[in-house]
Amino acid sequence: MQDSFANERGAGAGIYGSAVIDLRILATSDLHANLLAWDYHTSRPCPQRGLARTATLIHKARFERPQNLLFDNGDFLHGTVLGDFIAESTPTLRSGRPLHAHPMIAAMNALDYDAVALGNHEFGHGLGFLRRSLAATRFPVVCSNLYFKPTRGAPLAAPYLLLHRDLRDRHGKLHRLKIGVLGFIPPQTTVWEKRYLKSRASVDDITASARHLVPELRARGADLIIALSHSGIGTPGDEPGAENASSALAQIDGIDVIIAGHTHLTFPSASQPNLAGKPAVMPGFFGSHLGVIDLALRATPKGWRLASFGAEVRAISQRDPVTGAVAALVADDAAIAELARPAHQALLARSDDTVGHSPIPLHSHFALLTQSPPLALVAAAQADHLRRVLVDTPLADLPLLSAVAPFKAGGRGGPENYTDIATGPLLARHISDLYIHPNSLSCLRLSGQDLADWLERSVSLYRQILPGSCDSALIDEDFPSFNFDTIHGLSYQIDLAAPPRFNTFGRVIAPAARRIQNLRHQGRPVDPDQMFALATNSYRAAGGAGFAGTGGAQVVYDGPDNNREVLAAYLRRGAQPAQAPVDWQFLPMPGSSVTIDLNANAANHLAEVPHLRLEPLAQLPTGFRRFRLYL
């Protein structure tokens, strides 16, 4: 327990020092429309996800502490197969007059959420669908740093909330408290969702917005202020425009509680139990955890003050430290499972439709180490579609390349977070597995220098490796695999002895560093001034993750073509995956080795990558298996 003194409002005469209110704050975040414990890519149960499981923890936590508030921190509607299916295929939600609520909204209504914040993924299927979905909510929605431009639409959410709650102190006396709620999304949201937000809205800096709104909430009588920060922990420093600003937010006087999210991690930890001495939680993703904060509020002449607190995250599953197997800790809440069932069954009914055929296994086990057949397939589909679009245009004369990244390559998603499709029929659910986001296809006109810088950004995924070192960790665990682009149509080598030029956020940290060596197109060195057409996705083309040459006039095609539909159409025309040529590799470093943690099943596919000197090592308590790579 720790002390905090942030509140300056009056609490009423004659009760100072004796009145203490116990209040429990419960939080979910990054649910991404995961209602059930089910993996729609593999069509198998998955005990690590599902609001129906989290609901069981919510009921238990409420029983333990009857005075409680339940919040969600955003990214609840979209980001996984079920959310996309509902947005794209449910006529009752596309008509403007829904016959029933979005099943995630229905579930959150049933759980009696007190308030929710918007996350960046809420905008992934457009403002119309979002407005219609939110129209069915029975709870308030907040977003404090999103501003719609005049004549461009009514606000989707309130800039702040002031919840009035009657709470009893430990002597049984009733007090009315005013609880202020703020909600924040990353400023980069307007870049990531440029299709829907450009010219319509702006997103301000998180901490600047908080400094503006906290005094207003206090002036309106807020006794406690909770920040729903759809933003990672980040650093305590107040960096303008930071994507992950929860630590900086906690430094602001007047904010009492932080609910963080966005980066799919859990908080608190043994090494960091709070933020700036304030209670904070980050409750994982897909419903994997419930955030629980217990507050003791004491009445003082200056108002209700936070006398003590405790914070934890409670998991819905646990992993066996020896075998790595995952077991459920709780069962589904029957009422939530029933609300999810119609959409779940409708999705399953179409998920096994045959789209194509693969003569080889399609997996992403080695996608961070060498050219990957699933990525080569997506790259080929993108290029094939753009050739058709660009025919008879000046761009048709440019060399056409294709950039792709592995969305599922372990990391924060755990050892199950890999594509692993067996030889044979390719089904509709496999298309969503091969391309998990609802991006659209774009094309950029870039120079050879832009391409070299693009790849430098990608290969900053790797740690610097000292020649002669043994078993150094290869991957920077803070660098998401979806920012590791490979460019199909180019060949190159990666010098791991050189430092990374960029950090995980895309900022230059070593301007002179150059890891990309021998960059070639059709066997010839790439001229820095030569121009190319590059197929990529709408997120990247708009500037997502800060790659060279993105945004602005360099975007020469930004069509309506969904990347998944492009891939499905390519396969329906008879295209088949093939073993990818080894177009990129690490520069040899004799006497050196590195380690990488992969799904244990990767050991069964080593024969497919004979050019990689990979050696399986121990099974880890995390569920990963460690491999040694000789450089």
Side-chain angles (χ1 to χ4, degrees):
M1 294 295 184
Q2 305 198 18
D3 292 328
S4 174
F5 303 98
N7 201 312
E8 301 298 329
R9 300 295 302 168
I15 60 171
Y16 308 135
S18 61
V20 175
I21 289 175
D22 294 309
L23 176 62
R24 171 164 282 185
I25 307 296
L26 304 175
T28 54
S29 186
D30 296 275
L31 293 169
H32 290 289
N34 280 277
L35 281 161
L36 297 175
W38 191 263
D39 183 338
Y40 291 100
H41 294 152
T42 62
S43 201
R44 291 196 299 261
C46 179
Q48 297 149 282
R49 66 178 67 182
L51 181 59
R53 298 280 170 96
T54 327
T56 301
L57 293 182
I58 291 170
H59 296 319
K60 180 177 184 295
R62 281 173 162 166
F63 178 78
E64 294 167 352
R65 295 287 183 94
Q67 295 192 146
N68 55 74
L69 299 170
L70 174 62
F71 299 102
D72 183 82
N73 197 41
D75 278 7
F76 51 91
L77 280 182
H78 302 310
T80 47
V81 181
L82 183 65
D84 293 339
F85 170 71
I86 293 166
E88 297 166 359
S89 305
T90 308
T92 55
L93 286 175
R94 296 173 65 88
S95 64
R97 294 185 177 181
L99 300 178
H100 56 78
H102 187 299
M104 179 57 76
I105 298 295
M108 297 173 87
N109 283 339
L111 287 169
D112 198 22
Y113 274 78
D114 288 273
V116 306
L118 295 179
N120 53 286
H121 275 284
E122 259 65 77
F123 303 92
H125 284 283
L127 296 177
F129 181 81
L130 178 56
R131 289 185 191 280
R132 291 192 293 273
S133 299
L134 295 181
T137 59
R138 296 203 298 264
F139 45 78
V141 181
V142 63
C143 193
S144 303
N145 59 334
L146 172 69
Y147 300 93
F148 279 87
K149 297 177 182 179
T151 75
R152 290 296 183 178
L156 285 164
Y160 59 77
L161 304 172
L162 198 60
L163 306 178
H164 295 74
R165 296 293 186 269
D166 293 325
L167 303 172
R168 295 191 182 276
D169 65 25
R170 291 176 180 175
H171 300 294
K173 185 175 181 180
L174 207 59
H175 307 270
R176 170 151 290 198
L177 267 66
K178 298 179 181 179
I179 299 163
V181 182
L182 299 170
F184 301 99
I185 56 175
Q188 293 77 9
T189 301
T190 50
V191 174
W192 301 333
E193 299 299 345
K194 178 182 176 181
R195 288 175 293 170
Y196 304 118
L197 295 179
K198 182 184 178 182
S199 79
R200 294 182 177 91
S202 62
V203 178
D204 286 359
D205 177 76
I206 291 174
T207 55
S209 298
R211 287 193 177 90
H212 172 71
L213 292 172
V214 165
E216 188 170 343
L217 267 174
R218 292 299 186 188
R220 292 193 59 188
D223 296 296
L224 181 76
I225 293 181
I226 299 169
L228 304 181
S229 173
H230 192 80
S231 179
I233 298 298
T235 60
D238 191 357
E239 182 179 339
E243 177 182 346
N244 298 306
S246 294
S247 281
L249 201 59
Q251 305 282 334
I252 296 176
D253 290 339
I255 291 179
D256 300 300
V257 176
I258 303 286
I259 312 296
H262 181 56
T263 54
H264 291 197
L265 299 174
T266 56
F267 185 91
S269 65
S271 60
Q272 193 176 5
N274 58 70
L275 295 180
K278 295 177 181 177
V281 290
M282 185 189 291
F285 64 104
F286 295 180
S288 63
H289 295 76
L290 175 68
V292 180
I293 297 175
D294 287 322
L295 307 176
L297 304 172
R298 179 181 292 116
T300 76
K302 292 185 176 182
W304 291 99
R305 292 197 175 194
L306 189 55
S308 62
F309 66 82
E312 63 174 324
V313 287
R314 299 180 179 180
I316 64 171
S317 65
Q318 66 180 4
R319 191 178 296 277
D320 186 291
V322 177
T323 66
V326 179
L329 293 173
V330 293
D332 283 344
D333 174 79
I336 302 303
E338 186 58 33
L339 287 171
R341 198 169 312 283
H344 172 72
Q345 291 179 339
L347 177 54
L348 291 183
R350 82 162 199 182
S351 65
D352 285 339
D353 291 346
T354 299
V355 177
H357 183 273
S358 179
I360 61 172
L362 294 175
H363 60 81
S364 59
H365 296 309
F366 309 120
L368 303 182
L369 299 176
T370 189
Q371 205 80 289
S372 171
L375 294 185
L377 173 65
V378 173
Q382 292 180 167
D384 179 79
H385 186 85
L386 272 180
R387 281 191 194 95
R388 298 164 183 267
V389 169
L390 301 179
V391 69
D392 296 329
T393 75
L395 295 169
D397 296 329
L398 293 179
L400 179 58
L401 309 173
S402 193
V404 288
F407 296 128
K408 297 175 68 176
R412 295 171 184 174
E416 294 79 23
N417 186 39
Y418 291 88
T419 294
D420 199 341
I421 303 169
T423 300
L426 288 175
L427 309 178
R429 59 182 170 87
H430 293 146
I431 301 301
S432 297
D433 194 351
L434 291 163
Y435 204 101
I436 67 174
H437 294 300
N439 302 134
S440 59
L441 186 60
S442 296
C443 183
L444 299 167
R445 185 176 184 271
L446 300 180
S447 69
Q449 186 60 60
D450 289 332
L451 296 174
D453 291 339
W454 188 296
L455 290 171
E456 288 290 346
R457 170 77 175 96
S458 291
V459 300
S460 294
L461 166 93
Y462 302 116
R463 296 180 180 275
Q464 185 177 12
I465 305 301
L466 298 178
S469 61
C470 295
D471 292 356
S472 302
L474 176 63
I475 305 297
D476 178 352
E477 62 272 12
D478 291 329
F479 195 112
S481 68
F482 58 75
N483 285 337
F484 178 70
D485 277 13
T486 54
I487 298 180
H488 292 244
L490 297 179
S491 63
Y492 49 94
Q493 293 177 298
I494 303 165
D495 182 5
L496 294 175
R501 190 171 185 223
F502 297 87
N503 69 6
T504 186
F505 304 111
R507 301 185 190 93
V508 175
I509 55 175
R514 289 290 175 184
R515 288 179 154 184
I516 298 299
Q517 303 291 321
N518 303 317
L519 181 61
R520 295 176 179 271
H521 175 249
Q522 295 183 345
R524 298 176 181 175
V526 171
D527 184 330
D529 296 323
Q530 183 181 1
M531 301 309 296
F532 296 83
L534 180 70
T536 185
N537 61 58
S538 53
Y539 166 81
R540 187 73 81 233
F547 280 67
T550 54
Q554 283 156 302
V555 180
V556 293
Y557 176 76
D558 189 17
D561 321 297
N562 182 289
N563 288 69
R564 286 197 293 245
E565 293 169 356
V566 166
L567 176 58
Y570 183 64
L571 291 166
R572 288 191 180 104
R573 289 196 296 271
Q576 290 192 349
Q579 290 293 348
V582 183
D583 286 338
W584 62 270
Q585 55 193 315
F586 302 118
L587 273 176
M589 196 181 292
S592 307
S593 65
V594 293
T595 61
I596 183 170
D597 297 341
L598 305 172
N599 182 284
N601 193 38
N604 298 323
H605 294 278
L606 292 177
E608 300 165 23
V609 286
H611 60 288
L612 293 179
R613 297 168 60 203
L614 271 172
E615 177 186 352
L617 300 177
Q619 179 73 36
L620 303 176
T622 58
F624 286 98
R625 185 171 184 180
R626 183 153 293 172
F627 288 73
R628 176 183 291 127
L629 174 66
Y630 293 96
L631 298 174

